[in-house]
Amino acid sequence: MRNSNILLVDSCKADFENVKKAFNEIDVKFTLHVAQNDTEAWLMLQGDNKISPIPKIVLIDINEESVNGINLLNKIRIHPDLKSILVFVITRTDNERNKAAALNLNIAGYMHKPDDSKKMTDFFSILNDYWNIIEFSSEKK
């Protein structure tokens, strides 16, 4: 998945700094875009600030207070150009209602965020290995 766009939706600045650090440590070839809430993320997917090419992967913490993640997931899943995006929910908090709703929207995985930077690096190393063996459409959007 070299040279692809990834969108991270998370309102916690420390978390997205840790994600960036982990990606750099494992040498992911990526352009990481960060949105602090669902509205900003949607604008990056379909608004004036649209990311090009469309991200192949979205990482989202649907349980953050300022992120209406289920609403964003619904919009992604019904949009013809976005519905094939791999969405991973990565969160620290348990919310069974959100978990069930996200799983029903065909997310690629629901995982707990690691607590420290070493675990974060290991976590994203595993995800990176997965992203590098799966096939993505070569169609440009």
Side-chain angles (χ1 to χ4, degrees):
M1 195 204 56
R2 300 289 182 199
N3 300 318
S4 294
N5 287 323
I6 296 173
L7 176 59
L8 171 64
V9 186
D10 195 323
S11 64
C12 180
K13 185 174 175 116
D15 283 346
F16 64 75
E17 291 300 328
N18 284 334
V19 171
K20 285 182 191 178
K21 182 181 175 198
F23 276 33
N24 286 331
E25 286 180 13
I26 59 175
D27 196 31
V28 174
K29 304 297 184 222
F30 67 95
T31 302
L32 182 64
H33 300 270
V34 179
Q36 294 187 7
N37 59 51
D38 55 297
T39 303
E40 191 177 320
W42 187 249
L43 290 174
M44 294 172 87
L45 292 170
Q46 282 300 294
D48 293 338
N49 299 326
K50 186 176 178 180
I51 300 167
S52 182
I54 293 170
K56 303 234 184 245
I57 296 170
V58 172
L59 308 170
I60 182 171
D61 188 339
I62 62 172
N63 295 320
E64 289 283 330
E65 273 187 42
S66 62
V67 178
N68 187 341
I70 299 302
N71 181 51
L72 179 60
L73 281 168
N74 272 310
K75 289 163 91 173
I76 289 170
R77 289 301 177 234
I78 62 173
H79 194 286
D81 294 335
L82 304 176
K83 65 184 178 182
S84 65
I85 291 175
L86 285 180
V87 178
F88 293 86
V89 172
I90 302 171
T91 187
R92 276 201 184 85
T93 59
D94 290 320
N95 181 319
E96 284 301 317
R97 179 182 287 165
N98 280 350
K99 182 179 183 179
L103 290 168
N104 284 328
L105 289 167
N106 297 319
I107 60 169
Y110 190 99
M111 299 164 274
H112 287 274
K113 270 186 211 174
D115 300 7
D116 61 51
S117 62
K118 169 69 172 116
K119 289 180 184 175
M120 185 79 76
T121 300
D122 293 343
F123 177 82
F124 280 107
S125 179
I126 292 167
L127 277 178
N128 185 53
D129 288 345
Y130 170 70
W131 297 335
N132 282 303
I133 61 170
I134 61 174
E135 301 264 336
F136 290 95
S137 170
S138 60
E139 201 174 303
K140 298 198 184 210
K141 300 265 182 189

